[in-house]
Amino acid sequence: MSVNIKKIGVLTSGGDSPGMNAAIRAVVRTCAYHKIECTGIYRGYQGMIEGDFKDMGPRSVNNIINKGGTVLKSARSKEFMTPEGRKKAHANLVKEGIDALVVIGGNGSFTGGLIFNAEYGFPVIGIPGTIDNDIYGTSFTLGYDTALNTVVEVIDKIRDTASSHNRLFFVEVMGRDAGHIALNAGIGAGAEEILIPEEDMGLDRLVESLKKSKASGKSSSIVVIAEGDRSGKSAFELKEYFDTNMPEYDVRVSILGHMQRGGSPSCFDRVLASRLGVKAVETLLEGNSNYMVGLIKDEVVLTPLELAVKGKSQINQELIKVSDIVSI
């Protein structure tokens, strides 16, 4: 497609992740570099429906590269899921003179962009922003590296008290549909077992593994659990089982929750966000639409948005083997 783009809108949608602000900064400054205007759309698609816009220039994004969350705010918009809502959004974009969109978010956000493009032919480019790292077409999503470092730091602290009191800790991390955080943070923090959605370990194997750990001389153990683990048991249900059936274990549970989403982004996430933000704008200026920008083998690449939405990120099988070996 060939378009004359004079103004680009940028929004963040869905769950926040560290690095979103760095991506906003990169989009705004790339627009300025190419002498086109940039408009920030507050509260994602809901803000688009309500016309919550603000012009942004290079100085308006000073000192945000190091901040977590998103200065543009985020929201999940049920109204945008309706044709009437998208009609309002399109009318506001036209009124504001916005010619194209950069959407920073996950699968749900990209799906909204795809539908909007199909209905109105509006150019859209996606930047993957989610700590779960569960989007096809990129090895890393914005916020994933920061979340990993946060989780490892917390588990290191839990390890101190687990060792001091000879305890078994179940540590639940985010990852409803993907176990990337649990697997990598579990290896990095030296967990005895890791439960992820992609691998149905089963309760029997977990029990057997912990018995072996105890028999080998380990006085404490840490089990990292992705919230979407296929065993079907939450961390508290596992604690209840061990309390009842294996009273020799002094069991504790830690749910890390939303602390994993917060905090200042790592250097890796800041650089990644900057690279993807620049590429997103330049892809639009080249006349391309309906792509997600991502990173594969340290190269910034384009993946069709539809494929990014429908594809499934794959867990690294080598890491599962590594986890089994180094946890003995």
Side-chain angles (χ1 to χ4, degrees):
M1 61 182 295
S2 179
V3 290
N4 183 22
I5 293 177
K6 296 180 179 178
K7 183 186 285 191
I8 289 176
V10 58
L11 62 85
T12 51
S13 175
D16 63 286
S17 63
M20 281 185 165
N21 282 327
I24 293 167
R25 174 180 179 269
V27 169
V28 171
R29 292 190 170 177
T30 306
C31 286
Y33 179 86
H34 289 286
K35 296 180 171 54
I36 62 173
E37 297 178 75
C38 187
T39 296
I41 302 170
Y42 285 80
R43 296 177 295 114
Y45 291 122
Q46 190 61 35
M48 198 178 349
I49 291 171
E50 297 175 8
D52 196 358
F53 302 149
K54 182 179 179 180
D55 290 338
M56 303 182 78
R59 302 289 73 80
S60 69
V61 291
N62 281 353
N63 303 319
I64 69 169
I65 192 172
N66 60 316
K67 298 185 184 302
T70 163
V71 296
L72 290 178
K73 311 296 184 184
S74 186
R76 302 183 193 276
S77 176
K78 291 184 178 180
E79 191 175 358
F80 192 76
M81 297 178 184
T82 68
E84 295 77 16
R86 293 190 293 273
K87 185 177 181 180
K88 288 181 188 176
H90 182 256
N92 284 331
L93 292 178
V94 172
K95 181 180 178 182
E96 186 69 19
I98 296 173
D99 303 306
L101 286 175
V102 173
V103 175
I104 306 171
N107 280 336
S109 305
F110 293 164
T111 299
L114 274 173
I115 295 172
F116 193 68
N117 175 271
E119 291 178 343
Y120 295 101
F122 209 88
V124 176
I125 293 291
I127 296 178
T130 169
I131 68 167
D132 289 344
N133 203 43
D134 60 348
I135 297 179
Y136 180 85
T138 185
S139 300
F140 299 94
T141 56
L142 298 185
Y144 172 58
D145 183 71
T146 304
L148 279 182
N149 289 322
T150 298
V151 171
V152 168
E153 182 180 356
V154 172
I155 295 177
D156 284 348
K157 296 178 188 299
I158 291 173
R159 174 77 71 183
D160 290 343
T161 190
S163 300
S164 298
H165 295 277
N166 296 336
R167 284 174 175 158
L168 165 63
F169 267 86
F170 291 115
V171 182
E172 184 178 286
V173 302
M174 285 185 169
R176 184 180 58 195
D177 300 311
H180 297 286
I181 292 177
L183 180 57
N184 284 269
I187 292 173
E192 276 64 41
E193 282 297 344
I194 302 168
L195 308 183
I196 58 176
E198 292 86 351
E199 297 286 319
D200 188 2
M201 179 181 184
L203 187 58
D204 291 341
R205 184 187 150 183
L206 174 61
V207 170
E208 186 63 27
S209 174
L210 291 175
K211 284 182 177 179
K212 286 182 179 178
S213 292
K214 204 170 188 67
S216 71
K218 289 188 178 182
S219 60
S220 64
S221 291
I222 289 178
V223 178
V224 178
I225 308 170
E227 59 185 334
D229 169 50
R230 289 168 58 192
S231 70
K233 294 187 180 297
S234 70
F236 287 106
E237 288 173 323
L238 286 171
K239 177 186 180 334
E240 184 178 341
Y241 175 88
F242 276 82
D243 284 344
T244 302
N245 296 283
M246 304 184 74
E248 66 270 23
Y249 285 103
D250 182 12
V251 186
R252 295 291 186 273
V253 172
S254 286
I255 310 295
L256 301 193
H258 285 79
M259 74 167 68
Q260 297 163 83
R261 282 194 189 170
S264 179
S266 65
C267 179
F268 181 90
D269 274 328
R270 298 183 198 192
V271 174
L272 176 64
S274 300
R275 294 177 72 182
L276 299 187
V278 170
K279 184 65 173 180
V281 172
E282 294 189 339
T283 298
L284 285 169
L285 296 180
E286 290 165 359
N288 297 308
S289 177
N290 275 10
Y291 285 100
M292 182 196 76
V293 292
L295 190 75
I296 296 179
K297 295 181 180 178
D298 201 33
E299 294 289 333
V300 178
V301 299
L302 298 178
T303 298
L305 264 185
E306 185 175 10
L307 188 56
V309 168
K310 292 183 178 179
K312 185 173 177 60
S313 66
Q314 298 296 316
I315 206 75
N316 188 332
Q317 293 297 319
E318 180 199 1
L319 288 180
I320 294 175
K321 177 184 177 183
V322 168
S323 171
D324 289 340
I325 292 173
V326 300
S327 64
I328 61 172

